[in-house]
Amino acid sequence: MNVVVTPLPVLPGTAHSKAVRSASVKSAQSKSAHAASTSASPAYRKPLRVKPLPAGLPREWYEDHNRRLKALRLATALLATGAYHPSQARNRRIRAIAPLIGVRPPSDTTCRMVRSLLSL
């Protein structure tokens, strides 16, 4: 199974965004020190190679695959905002987070999937 990984934006005004900013400053300083100490640094990080999804599977498989990816993105965004328990993630809250991370509002099924991911 091929999975395409895309980074999620950090929501402004959260404790997580402040920690990410301070960590990224420290990380940038250590990267520049590391790059200066090495003689050849073509690219510090290479982008992920995107592979197409396998062809010939039933349409339901693709729909479920995309639904799982969307639910995972939404669950990660909810965790970043401080919703750590399924009872804190009502459909309204999940749908309010969706435009902030650049996805369309999820269906009831996807909202249930998000809550099940939060309960793990």
Side-chain angles (χ1 to χ4, degrees):
M1 180 167 92
N2 298 327
V3 177
V4 179
V5 179
T6 57
L8 289 174
V10 177
L11 300 176
T14 61
H16 180 70
S17 65
K18 294 172 188 167
V20 167
R21 268 187 299 208
S22 65
S24 65
V25 170
K26 291 176 187 175
S27 176
Q29 291 170 350
S30 66
K31 286 179 188 176
S32 62
H34 177 61
S37 67
T38 58
S39 59
S41 62
Y44 189 75
R45 295 178 93 183
K46 293 183 180 179
L48 293 173
R49 210 172 90 202
V50 178
K51 295 180 182 179
L53 293 173
L57 295 173
R59 181 179 177 88
E60 292 79 25
W61 184 90
Y62 297 105
E63 291 171 355
D64 190 48
H65 175 75
N66 290 331
R67 187 183 307 275
R68 281 180 279 162
L69 291 177
K70 186 175 189 176
L72 189 59
R73 287 187 184 110
L74 288 166
T76 305
L78 282 169
L79 289 170
T81 61
Y84 301 112
H85 196 267
S87 64
Q88 298 171 324
R90 304 271 183 220
N91 288 356
R92 183 180 294 170
R93 186 170 188 179
I94 295 170
R95 289 187 177 120
I97 292 290
L100 298 176
I101 62 170
V103 298
R104 294 175 61 109
S107 65
D108 290 341
T109 305
T110 306
C111 290
R112 278 193 304 271
M113 196 175 284
V114 169
R115 283 190 289 276
S116 69
L117 285 170
L118 289 176
S119 68
L120 295 177

